[in-house]
Amino acid sequence: MGQIYSTLERMLKDGLVVLEESEGQGEERKVYRITEAGLEELERWLARPPLKARPMRDEIYVRLGLLVDKDPARALELLESQRRVYHLQMAELTRARIQLARAQGPDRLRQEMMLDAALLHVEADLKWLDNCEARLRARGGQES
């Protein structure tokens, strides 16, 4: 939530959105409306590819980075527990993909693309875990 509101405040300051006060169901809410300048910036943003494929901010990278030299055995345990998390995530995404295949609607293509992206990222993450495990085990074998 903090990320969303700080981004909206920055966009408000930059003139990309305007704040419209509105009341809904007895409570005051903030409603933002995109400006013409905001629409132009959105079009520019949509036309550019992201500069980074995927930011390396995920907790697993930080945790593994701290454990790999300090405690390789714990690093291997972390890899195995993370592997279980990814397998559960993959099962959930696969169930969602199967349900979506039975559905109809105007959002289906967008949803299929997002689910495919998520599944492919989990597959890549699992492959990366396998690579990390192999490297840790090889290093452990050399030190013995």
Side-chain angles (χ1 to χ4, degrees), residues 59-79 128-129 131-141 143:
E59 276 184 58
I60 185 66
Y61 305 130
V62 175
R63 291 176 187 209
L64 190 59
L66 292 171
L67 285 174
V68 73
D69 290 322
K70 180 181 176 189
D71 193 342
R74 279 183 62 200
L76 287 168
E77 290 171 12
L78 175 63
L79 291 172
W128 175 75
L129 291 178
N131 183 280
C132 290
E133 180 180 3
R135 286 177 174 215
L136 275 167
R137 291 195 186 284
R139 187 177 80 174
E143 292 175 359

Side-chain angles (χ1 to χ4, degrees), residues 3-143:
Q3 174 72 35
I4 293 169
Y5 286 113
S6 65
T7 300
L8 282 169
E9 286 301 315
R10 189 179 73 248
M11 292 172 72
L12 185 63
K13 185 182 84 173
D14 293 344
L16 303 176
V17 296
V18 292
L19 184 60
E20 295 180 345
E21 293 297 328
S22 118
E23 295 194 24
Q25 301 177 351
E27 57 187 57
E28 191 175 318
R29 307 177 334 162
K30 288 185 177 182
V31 176
Y32 294 86
R33 182 178 50 80
I34 193 165
T35 64
E36 192 62 38
L39 288 171
E40 290 170 10
E41 180 58 30
L42 175 62
E43 285 302 317
R44 281 192 295 276
W45 180 78
L46 288 171
R48 307 188 293 268
L51 297 178
K52 294 182 182 176
R54 270 176 82 184
M56 301 292 284
R57 289 180 269 190
D58 198 324
E59 276 184 58
I60 185 66
Y61 305 130
V62 175
R63 291 176 187 209
L64 190 59
L66 292 171
L67 285 174
V68 73
D69 290 322
K70 180 181 176 189
D71 193 342
R74 279 183 62 200
L76 287 168
E77 290 171 12
L78 175 63
L79 291 172
E80 187 54 38
S81 62
Q82 189 66 39
R83 187 177 282 111
R84 285 191 296 273
V85 169
Y86 287 149
H87 279 290
L88 289 171
Q89 188 177 21
M90 184 173 276
E92 185 179 308
L93 289 166
T94 301
R95 278 192 296 276
R97 187 69 170 90
I98 290 167
Q99 288 176 339
L100 184 60
R102 297 181 196 139
Q104 298 297 319
D107 292 346
R108 184 173 169 191
L109 177 60
R110 179 183 52 80
Q111 292 173 343
E112 285 175 337
M113 290 171 60
M114 295 300 109
L115 281 171
D116 288 346
L119 278 162
L120 289 168
H121 280 292
V122 173
E123 287 177 14
D125 289 336
L126 284 164
K127 190 173 183 177
W128 175 75
L129 291 178
D130 291 344
N131 183 280
C132 290
E133 180 180 3
R135 286 177 174 215
L136 275 167
R137 291 195 186 284
R139 187 177 80 174
Q142 292 173 353
E143 292 175 359

